[in-house]
């Protein structure tokens, strides 16, 4: 079952499902470079990501 309300374009992630869906049970999103103070969406990313090829 995919995570409701999560839209993801990272098709190289092993949790990714067609239709821009995420199949993980939960996700963790962090600020690039650490801390908790992002200023733009580009400074955040999903740390639940795992490469399909690893
Ligand atoms: S775990 Fe993160 S990167 Fe992977 S499909 Fe879900 S939202 Fe996307």
């Amino acid at each position: 079952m995919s995570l409701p309300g999560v839209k993801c374009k990272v098709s190289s992630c092993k949790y990714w499902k067609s239709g821009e869906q995420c199949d993980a049970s939960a996700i963790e999103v962090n600020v690039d470079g650490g801390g908790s103070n992002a200023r733009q969406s580009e400074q955040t990313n999903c740390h639940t990501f795992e490469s399909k090829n690893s």
Side-chain angles (χ1 to χ4, degrees):
M1 200 175 91
S2 56
L3 270 181
V6 173
K7 175 181 174 182
C8 180
K9 294 180 185 271
V10 189
S11 61
S12 60
C13 177
K14 75 175 192 183
Y15 296 113
W16 189 86
K17 225 167 73 175
S18 78
E20 300 186 340
Q21 297 183 73
C22 174
D23 219 14
S25 56
I27 60 169
E28 177 179 339
V29 179
N30 291 322
V31 180
D32 286 346
S36 56
N37 194 16
R39 296 204 172 131
Q40 298 171 302
S41 58
E42 288 81 1
Q43 296 172 327
T44 67
N45 64 78
C46 177
H47 277 240
T48 306
F49 168 85
E50 281 186 54
S51 174
K52 264 180 188 166
N53 303 316
S54 65

